[in-house]
Amino acid sequence: MVRGLSHYIGGRLVEGTSGRFGDVFDPCTGDVQARVPLANQDEVRQAVAAAGEAQAGWAGTNAQRRARILLKFVDLVNRNMEELARLLSSEHGKTLADSKGDIQRGLEVVEFAAGAPHLLKGEFSTDAGTGIDIHSLRQPLGVVAGITPFNFPAMIPLWKSAPALAAGNSFILKPSERDPSVPLRLAELYSEAGVPDGVFTVVNGDKEAVDALLEDPWIKAVGFVGSTPIARYIYATAAAHGKRAQCFGGAKNHMVVMPDADLDQAADALVGSGYGSGGERCMAVSVAVPVGEETADRLVAKLQDRVKGLRVGHSLAPDSDFGPVVSAAAKERIEGYIRSGVDDGAALLADGRGLRVEGHENGFWLGPTLFDHVTPEMAVYRDEIFGPVLSVVRAAGYEDALRLCTENPYGNGVAIFTRDGDAARDFATRVDVGMVGINVPIPVPLAYYTFGGWKASGFGDLNQHGADAFRFYTKTKTVTTRWPSGIRQGSSFVMPEGS
Ligand code: NAD
């Protein structure tokens, strides 16, 4: 049976009226399991109006109470973890354990955002001038929007929404049309936790809904996560409409393996971070950069061994290392890259094409693919493939490896595996990438640090979560005060100074 999905506007599920729908697949079977409405401009306008009406009351609810509601939400999500994770796996295709991780990493940001009473504190200076005090306030922006990708349908909506709500904004989520069911359930749980009607909204849709949000004068800020071309478009369009924007894009994450590294540890890390979630993570390592031919030969042999043992299967099967990719189109795109790698002369050591999973022959399956002798001109190196494809680019020395990472147009994550503290420190200092792991393959910072890539991986000047999220979702007002009992100085016609 194909489920009919809705929007979530004004605190309830609302059917779409545009007459346009998108198919939501089960990637394990290839079947359409739901139809999601694609909102038009009018529906977006109605959603924004409902969010705008609710915002003042929410902003007037003190931060401690808002935080308490968020903590209740955390409790509700935890109680519904199993159901949410199954729903997530069924639309995305990642394993159940990975889906739980997706939700958990989102909840950690909700827990952090519950520190809003502290995080929203302003500054105060007494006697800044004779009888004069200055203080600053952080005030919510109003109605803000988040546009999120398919690959973390719980985590990223939570990264975006929790700090925005904690800061007193109304939040409109436009989730990926490929896996919208978990965001809709999160909306219901936000309501159940006590978030007032209209304060958290889900508008499903595609470019039409996104453009309507970008053009709406009531939307004050847009947080985006997705591919780089769309990130650039949203950043430019939001700015042209006078909005604050932070837009995070694609990635090509490298892992440098030094000759002194523990190669078993490095190979384990590469296999987990390269193939976990079918490579559909913005922090997946897709390029291994062994330093020196001997390191490369030894590392590649270990990778080949491990790749042979990987189990690709149904996302709910407990022994699957990873599941299918998200769509038939994604599978086709990735297979195209594998063909191009072969045509360009890379050595295909493991070929994931043609994988059959017994009983689920129509699923979007791709096995782990390993290329050696990849060079920087090849498309498999240049482009983000976003699938279970790991490329080995051999570097002659440390400086070559560092240059490769630094000169890559993307700058999301990078790692170095070594036992040499000097090399690790030098690498972390000089590499032109936003998040660095030292013997850690997927260096996703925890909620109380910020997350953000550089160069083509991030547009805007503030990162996600951590203190930056509260800066992004608030505006600072500075108040200078003198009470009538202060000393009378008469009129002054010169610029006041601090001295
Ligand atoms: P995507 O860019 O196709 O879609 C992201 C969002 O943009 C979706 O909500 C989609 O509906 C919307 N969208 C798509 N095309 C649009 C258009 N032409 N105009 C307006 N809106 C449009 O990305 P995806 O395939 O859902 O997600 C995968 C991508 O996200 C990868 O590139 C991955 O690296 C990236 N990603 C980045 C981060 C990060 O933090 N840097 C995190 C997760 C995923």
Side-chain angles (χ1 to χ4, degrees), residues 78-99:
N78 276 320
R79 283 200 227 167
N80 290 276
M81 180 65 86
E82 198 63 32
E83 174 224 330
L84 286 164
R86 281 178 179 269
L87 195 55
L88 199 160
S89 287
S90 80
E91 292 185 355
H92 178 286
K94 63 175 80 174
T95 64
L96 197 59
D98 207 21
S99 291

Side-chain angles (χ1 to χ4, degrees), residues 253-257 269 273 285 287 289 405 413-418 427 431 433 435-443:
N253 305 315
H254 297 54
M255 186 172 128
V256 173
V257 181
S273 60
V285 171
V287 185
V289 190
C405 303
V414 72
I416 185 168
F417 273 60
T418 181
F427 185 81
V431 75
V433 173
M435 292 172 281
V436 181
I438 296 172
N439 300 312
V440 172
I442 304 188

Side-chain angles (χ1 to χ4, degrees), residues 12 25 156:
R12 62 192 179 89
F25 287 87
I156 296 179

Side-chain angles (χ1 to χ4, degrees), residues 240-264:
H241 287 85
K243 302 183 197 315
R244 223 176 248 203
Q246 53 170 206
C247 300
F248 298 94
K252 197 78 190 175
N253 305 315
H254 297 54
M255 186 172 128
V256 173
V257 181
M258 295 292 283
D260 66 353
D262 176 333
L263 291 190
D264 284 308

Side-chain angles (χ1 to χ4, degrees), residues 147-152 155-156 159 174-178 205-208 210-211 214 224-231 233-234 248-251 280-283 333 384 386 412 435 451-453 457-458 464:
I147 299 154
T148 55
F150 82 85
N151 69 321
F152 283 105
M155 182 182 85
I156 296 179
W159 283 13
K174 205 306 284 171
S176 171
E177 58 275 45
R178 279 177 256 172
D206 55 9
K207 180 170 167 52
E208 187 174 340
V210 171
D211 286 342
L214 293 174
F224 171 85
V225 179
S227 59
T228 291
I230 311 298
Y233 166 74
I234 291 192
F248 298 94
E280 292 175 320
R281 289 182 183 138
C282 68
M283 290 292 272
R333 188 195 67 240
E384 180 186 45
F386 222 57
N412 214 38
M435 292 172 281
F451 179 107
S457 298
Q464 307 188 84

Side-chain angles (χ1 to χ4, degrees), residues 103-193:
I103 298 165
Q104 176 57 29
R105 286 305 294 259
L107 285 185
E108 288 171 11
V109 170
V110 188
E111 288 165 346
F112 171 76
H118 171 72
L119 291 157
L120 291 171
K121 280 194 297 199
E123 296 172 313
F124 186 91
S125 301
T126 186
D127 292 323
T130 310
I132 291 181
D133 301 329
I134 305 180
H135 72 277
S136 63
L137 311 168
R138 285 192 176 281
Q139 296 188 320
L141 301 178
V143 183
V144 299
I147 299 154
T148 55
F150 82 85
N151 69 321
F152 283 105
M155 182 182 85
I156 296 179
L158 293 174
W159 283 13
K160 298 282 179 206
S161 60
L165 296 178
N169 301 282
S170 284
F171 185 88
I172 299 189
L173 174 68
K174 205 306 284 171
S176 171
E177 58 275 45
R178 279 177 256 172
D179 43 15
S181 291
V182 167
L184 286 167
R185 280 293 291 134
L186 293 176
E188 290 177 324
L189 294 175
Y190 267 134
S191 288
E192 199 179 328

Side-chain angles (χ1 to χ4, degrees), residues 441-461:
I442 304 188
V444 178
L446 290 179
Y448 40 97
Y449 282 82
T450 72
F451 179 107
W454 290 1
K455 302 184 282 185
S457 298
F459 307 92
D461 44 12

